[in-house]
Amino acid sequence: MTVYEHRQTVTAAAGAVSAIGLNIPGGLIRQVLIRANTDTTVFRANLTDASALRRRDYGFHTGEINDTNLSLAIAGSLAINITNASPNDTFAVLVAVQE
């Protein structure tokens, strides 16, 4: 089993930012980790594919989303959108994909 991890640091402005224009040739997303720099930052996030179809929505979270209960098949590009961030913050983003 081969697992690839993509990491990126992004900063939200006006409460929103898109992260990772990751192009996945085909695989299963096994983990999505989004961690705000500040533990008290409240935000929402979603995963969107190349056709702008929302593949996964995360409601409001404080500080961190660490979704390890994924087995989401995907091929093509993937974007992670962080929205409603209050206050604006810097986020560490990790996506782990099993080939």
Side-chain angles (χ1 to χ4, degrees), residues 72-87:
L72 181 63
I74 192 156
S77 65
L78 172 73
I80 295 181
N81 304 299
I82 299 168
T83 59
N84 301 99
S86 178

Side-chain angles (χ1 to χ4, degrees), residues 23-47:
N23 189 17
I24 302 168
L28 297 173
I29 298 174
R30 293 298 192 174
Q31 180 182 17
V32 172
L33 173 63
I34 304 168
R35 180 175 295 144
N37 192 44
T38 308
D39 290 343
T40 56
T41 298
V42 177
F43 64 98
R44 297 174 70 177
N46 65 62
L47 306 179

Side-chain angles (χ1 to χ4, degrees), residues 10 12 17 34 36 46 48 52-53 55 60 63 67-68 70 79 81 88:
V10 295
V17 66
I34 304 168
N46 65 62
T48 306
L53 180 64
R55 302 291 297 270
F60 284 99
D67 189 355
T68 57
L70 281 174
N81 304 299
N88 287 331

Side-chain angles (χ1 to χ4, degrees), residues 12 15 21-22 26 31-33 39 52 56 58 75 85 87 89 93:
L22 185 61
Q31 180 182 17
V32 172
L33 173 63
D39 290 343
R56 181 87 170 184
Y58 298 101
D89 204 345
V93 178

